[in-house]
Amino acid sequence: MADSVPALSLCQKLGYATGHYLNDLCASMWFTYFLVYFHSVLGFDSFYAGLLLLVGQVADGICTPLVGYESDRHSVIRTYGRRKSWHLIGTLSVLISFPFIFNPCLGCSENTPQWVGLIYFIPFIVIFQFGWASTQISHLALIPDLAHNEHDKVELTAFRYAFTVLANISVYAIAWLLLHFELDAAEDTERLGRQDVPVFRTLALIVVGIGALFSLLFHIGTKENSTFQRLPETDDDENGDHQKPLSSSPEPLLLWKHWLLEPSFYQVALLYMCTRLIVNLSQTYIAVYLTYSLHLPKNYIATIPLVMYVSGFVSSFLMKPINKYIGRNITYFLGLLAIAAFSAWVALDPELSVAVYGAAVILGSGSATILVTSLSMTADLIGPHSHSGAFVYGAMSFTDKVANGLAVVTIQSLHPCQMQYCCPACTSFYHWVMVTITGAVTLVAALSLSSIMIWPINVRFCKVSSSIQDAPQVDNTQEICTVYA
């Protein structure tokens, strides 16, 4: 029956891929420019800037698994589809909140106490992160709902990644243009400061404007089946109220609580967390590293991230043949070697100067390699259990978001300067931050990879159901065990 269903058309694949473009634009701006904007432009204390980022990461981390769980079970707008309805709510939340984050506190002045700004920005950050999580999880979970075969799943993932690349390149290119034109208009603005508020405000407005258009194209071009089989919440529901399976597979459903009993779930979660820590923290601190450690002009905070992302995009084309010949584990290890090489280069050469372009290529290639491979490992973990896939993606995202937020606030609390803006001690501080977040986390990721190489990803799902419902005192059970390698 499945073979008689036609494959997705090019328009359907493109329509789906546009659905995460707004998220990708905002994420690129969030991770790359959040700290440098609040600390260097608005003049927030380094700890307060880190605390705001922590609030956002924790909010995202909490919302992601909850949205994943609810998206698997409920449709907010019944006639619209469970995934698209959550996507719509998330999109609206992002659109109304993100511009306020990259805009100074309304009614505040430079003399306003910073705790007032802290209270002002927190609600907008929480709303933004809830919306971002809702859009991300619902969009990922749409892949098994839309795809009719494995080829369609691969194609949808590839198109989604292509738009992610386009979004990041767009943000960095627009940022470079805005900073370039500002440099042409004024002579003494090579360093970031309060005068750069209009640059980031304009960038945020452009991001939400373009993102809104692409989200509209997604909702017009993507058709989701509005009827779905609600996942059972208890074992009683599994045996009684919902006897009709979600698929033709005779296997019992693997629910969210069953994932928590799987050792491989925690193996992959640790590896994914380390991967995201390397990728996100290097993206978060690259701008302040360029500004305060290398003392480069501010247009470099657009050109260097652009070089990193383009090099990562180019290296991603090598992922498929490399994975085919040497496997995922060795491919991931090669990515870790590139990250370690970047860390050693930065440690041995505090003044990279023009060589920073070469280091950026190495970091970008290594980051793309470990990120793509870790996502493939997560897909391997989920396997045929796509009905609870949103929870797995949400749980993985929870680990990386909370860990990333805690890492940032810890680093910011160790900041050596007692003033709002950076002092000369920032030079060595951010230099060693870049070395540590790439080198130390790479070591932990290597240890996690070793555990997977020794004990490969393997889901062993055991469902125990009582054969005598009315006589719980009788120990008469049947254990059904299914192993997915």
Side-chain angles (χ1 to χ4, degrees):
M1 290 292 292
D3 293 337
S4 63
V5 180
L8 294 175
S9 67
L10 178 61
C11 289
Q12 288 174 312
K13 294 171 185 175
L14 288 173
Y16 167 80
T18 58
H20 206 254
Y21 197 69
L22 172 62
N23 261 23
D24 290 328
L25 290 170
C26 293
S28 179
M29 191 171 175
W30 170 270
F31 283 113
T32 308
Y33 299 129
F34 185 90
L35 276 186
V36 74
Y37 172 73
F38 275 89
H39 183 52
S40 301
V41 178
L42 295 187
F44 268 63
D45 178 81
S46 60
F47 177 76
Y48 280 172
L51 187 61
L52 284 173
L53 195 143
L54 172 64
V55 168
Q57 295 304 102
V58 171
D60 190 1
I62 293 174
C63 290
T64 302
L66 293 179
V67 170
Y69 174 77
E70 289 298 322
S71 177
D72 282 335
R73 293 184 49 79
H74 300 293
S75 174
V76 180
I77 308 173
R78 287 190 175 275
T79 58
Y80 197 56
R82 54 175 174 164
R83 309 301 190 191
K84 284 184 65 178
S85 59
W86 279 100
H87 188 284
L88 179 61
I89 291 173
T91 299
L92 294 176
S93 299
V94 170
L95 291 176
I96 64 176
S97 60
F98 192 73
F100 288 96
I101 297 175
F102 285 91
N103 196 52
C105 169
L106 298 178
C108 299
S109 65
E110 295 186 33
N111 297 323
T112 303
Q114 290 194 17
W115 63 266
V116 175
L118 203 69
I119 296 174
Y120 172 85
F121 283 110
I122 284 177
F124 294 114
I125 290 174
V126 171
I127 294 172
F128 163 67
Q129 293 293 358
F130 163 76
W132 200 96
S134 300
T135 304
Q136 179 203 29
I137 294 303
S138 58
H139 193 257
L140 276 174
L142 260 176
I143 293 179
D145 290 347
L146 295 177
H148 306 308
N149 51 58
E150 288 301 317
H151 178 72
D152 279 344
K153 289 182 181 180
V154 173
E155 287 287 296
L156 288 178
T157 304
F159 274 84
R160 186 180 190 271
Y161 180 70
F163 273 79
T164 299
V165 172
L166 179 61
N168 281 269
I169 292 176
S170 299
V171 168
Y172 300 139
I174 295 170
W176 180 83
L177 287 173
L178 292 173
L179 291 169
H180 178 72
F181 286 136
E182 188 195 42
L183 280 173
D184 288 344
E187 295 182 359
D188 299 324
T189 56
E190 284 196 353
R191 300 296 174 213
L192 288 168
R194 192 83 182 182
Q195 75 278 354
D196 295 300
V197 166
V199 171
F200 290 94
R201 177 170 54 215
T202 303
L203 181 59
L205 292 174
I206 293 174
V207 160
V208 296
I210 297 175
L213 177 60
F214 276 79
S215 295
L216 179 62
L217 294 175
F218 163 77
H219 282 275
I220 293 174
T222 303
K223 307 298 180 185
E224 179 191 2
N225 187 359
S226 59
T227 61
F228 66 95
Q229 180 79 20
R230 187 176 70 85
L231 284 180
E233 192 163 357
T234 65
D235 291 337
D236 292 338
D237 289 338
E238 291 179 58
N239 298 325
D241 296 338
H242 300 280
Q243 295 180 2
K244 183 180 178 181
L246 287 178
S247 67
S248 59
S249 173
E251 306 296 345
L253 293 178
L254 186 64
L255 303 180
W256 68 271
K257 56 188 176 182
H258 300 134
W259 283 112
L260 301 179
L261 302 177
E262 297 291 342
S264 288
F265 176 80
Y266 297 99
Q267 282 181 291
V268 177
L270 178 60
L271 188 74
Y272 185 80
M273 181 189 72
C274 292
T275 301
R276 281 293 186 179
L277 277 174
I278 294 171
V279 174
N280 293 344
L281 288 179
S282 61
Q283 188 178 4
T284 299
Y285 280 99
I286 189 67
V288 288
Y289 168 67
L290 295 169
T291 302
Y292 296 117
S293 293
L294 300 184
H295 304 291
L296 296 171
K298 61 187 177 185
N299 59 301
Y300 275 75
I301 69 173
T303 55
I304 296 301
L306 180 60
V307 170
M308 288 171 54
Y309 214 86
V310 170
S311 63
F313 176 58
V314 172
S315 66
S316 67
F317 286 104
L318 303 175
M319 293 298 113
K320 187 175 181 179
I322 291 177
N323 270 280
K324 181 180 179 181
Y325 288 108
I326 65 176
R328 300 201 199 285
N329 293 339
I330 304 301
T331 302
Y332 188 92
F333 181 70
L334 291 178
L336 289 182
L337 286 181
I339 302 294
F342 168 84
S343 178
W345 192 350
V346 173
L348 296 174
D349 188 1
E351 299 178 2
L352 284 176
S353 186
V354 180
V356 70
Y357 285 100
V361 170
I362 294 176
L363 179 59
S365 301
S367 297
T369 301
I370 62 175
L371 181 58
V372 172
T373 309
S374 66
L375 286 172
S376 299
M377 290 180 177
T378 305
D380 291 342
L381 174 70
I382 295 173
H385 308 295
S386 60
H387 49 269
S388 56
F391 171 78
V392 177
Y393 282 118
M396 298 295 164
S397 185
F398 172 81
T399 61
D400 92 78
K401 295 300 183 353
V402 174
N404 187 77
L406 290 175
V408 168
V409 80
T410 301
I411 292 171
Q412 295 302 107
S413 66
L414 298 175
H415 200 276
C417 304
Q418 302 300 318
M419 59 190 71
Q420 291 183 11
Y421 297 98
C422 269
C423 60
C426 284
T427 300
S428 61
F429 177 74
Y430 285 121
H431 168 258
W432 289 111
V433 164
M434 285 300 296
V435 173
T436 303
I437 61 179
T438 51
V441 183
T442 294
L443 179 61
V444 178
L447 295 175
S448 178
L449 177 65
S450 300
S451 75
I452 292 178
M453 296 178 73
I454 298 172
W455 300 285
I457 299 172
N458 178 39
V459 175
R460 182 177 177 84
F461 169 43
C462 296
K463 176 191 173 188
V464 179
S465 58
S466 175
S467 61
I468 303 179
Q469 297 284 339
D470 298 328
Q473 70 278 10
V474 179
D475 187 13
N476 186 5
T477 61
Q478 179 185 13
E479 186 175 58
I480 306 171
C481 299
T482 308
V483 178
Y484 298 97

